[in-house]
Amino acid sequence: MTSVSAPTASPVNALRLTESEVRFYQDEGYLYLGGLVKAEAVEAVRQEVLGVIEGHFGITEDDLRHATSASDKLRQSNQYLKGSLLEELISGEPIKTVASQIIGGPAHVYLPFTAVKAGGGGGMFHFHQDNNYTNHEPALGSINIWVALVDMSPDNGCLQVVPRSHKDGQLASHNSDDGDGHQQLEVDPLTCLPVRMRAGDAVAFTRWTVHGSGPNTTDQARVAYALQFHRDDVSWIDKETNEKKLLLDSPRFAIGPVDRIERRD
């Protein structure tokens, strides 16, 4: 796959959030962002995500109708093409403006990735906090904006969040019972909110907000994209050295647009 040579207009609606919306996010740990992606851009962005999945994993949209492995509960890739709509979605000013309003300071890209769950039984993704993977300090200085690129419901494994769970701070976790390297809380929540979404909608949540997803029992892939950002003052903790590193000076991940999506295991 080659890059798109011509510049693209932003697929993101420039939302101006109210003080009440920001306060809701601070109180509840999440915020619904209806119509974040422009209606006319949703299908093109969805196709780009599927192109990344095909290039990275060698899996087509037709393949994604039927789950065949544990990996099909969440296909993640942080590759994206230069000049693509995904590049503009990830690093364009409209999305950074939305993130900045919520976290209270300039937003910097941390980690973007596909969030594709195969149909036909693509499995449960256990409840966890993003901070179970890499510890950010302050955790509330970072944000995940999770974008639906198809309609989402419990039938196809929509995102599930636990309101106000961020108020409990960092929770204990362990490697998933599925043995796939993902994190899982030591104690599952008693209740959660399935976030029903239309294609183009998004939900923002903190790195302490407990979330997960159920299985996809339909015959179509559940296609979403996760956009993670951090504020200037956020550091991460290197688990190997226990060293605290400022993300602006020492990025946790090497990310950026590429000329070609590479096949990776």
Side-chain angles (χ1 to χ4, degrees):
M1 296 186 176
T2 57
S3 65
V4 180
S5 57
T8 55
S10 176
V12 178
N13 282 310
L15 302 182
R16 295 292 175 182
L17 303 179
T18 66
E19 290 183 9
S20 179
E21 286 174 307
V22 174
R23 175 63 65 183
F24 183 94
Y25 174 87
Q26 293 170 346
D27 290 344
E28 301 295 329
Y30 76 97
L31 178 66
Y32 197 91
L33 300 169
L36 179 68
V37 175
K38 296 174 181 176
E40 63 270 21
V42 169
E43 178 58 20
V45 175
R46 187 185 78 91
Q47 289 295 335
E48 287 190 4
V49 169
L50 291 172
V52 171
I53 295 295
E54 183 171 359
H56 185 137
F57 299 103
I59 295 172
T60 67
E61 182 176 8
D62 191 57
D63 295 328
L64 289 166
R65 293 176 184 272
H66 306 284
T68 58
S69 73
S71 297
D72 283 327
K73 72 179 184 180
L74 195 67
R75 293 281 179 176
Q76 296 173 292
S77 173
N78 62 11
Q79 297 186 73
Y80 58 96
L81 292 173
K82 292 178 181 177
S84 64
L85 285 171
L86 271 178
E87 181 180 15
E88 183 61 30
L89 174 67
I90 292 162
S91 57
E93 285 306 312
I95 192 68
K96 287 183 177 180
T97 296
V98 173
S100 297
Q101 292 174 83
I102 298 174
I103 61 177
H108 306 273
V109 178
Y110 173 64
L111 180 65
F113 57 87
T114 62
V116 177
K117 187 187 290 285
M124 175 181 179
F125 199 85
H126 295 285
F127 284 102
H128 65 282
Q129 298 169 308
D130 286 343
N131 238 35
N132 293 146
Y133 289 92
T134 300
N135 194 343
H136 285 200
E137 292 185 1
L140 300 183
S142 296
I143 190 172
N144 190 332
I145 300 179
W146 199 91
V147 181
L149 295 170
V150 296
D151 291 352
M152 300 282 176
S153 73
D155 289 341
N156 67 352
C158 66
L159 193 73
Q160 300 173 354
V161 301
V162 181
R164 300 196 174 191
S165 53
H166 67 303
K167 294 182 179 293
D168 294 328
Q170 188 76 31
L171 301 176
S173 68
H174 62 273
N175 288 334
S176 165
D177 293 342
D178 297 338
D180 54 17
H182 289 292
Q183 288 293 296
Q184 175 180 351
L185 291 184
E186 294 286 357
V187 180
D188 278 341
L190 295 176
T191 60
C192 66
L193 173 68
V195 185
R196 296 174 182 267
M197 308 169 75
R198 294 295 187 188
D201 293 348
V203 59
F205 51 91
T206 81
R207 287 186 70 81
W208 277 344
T209 301
V210 173
H211 61 286
S213 64
N216 180 359
T217 61
T218 74
D219 63 355
Q220 301 290 326
R222 189 215 70 180
V223 183
Y225 203 83
L227 302 156
Q228 298 186 344
F229 300 92
H230 66 87
R231 213 168 50 204
D232 289 355
D233 61 328
V234 175
S235 298
W236 64 283
I237 308 301
D238 189 324
K239 289 183 179 180
E240 293 185 0
T241 64
N242 205 33
E243 182 182 0
K244 180 186 288 190
K245 302 177 179 180
L246 189 68
L247 276 168
L248 281 180
D249 296 336
S250 301
R252 173 71 174 88
F253 299 101
I255 59 170
V258 297
D259 293 315
R260 182 179 297 275
I261 305 299
E262 296 180 357
R263 180 69 182 270
R264 298 176 185 172
D265 295 330

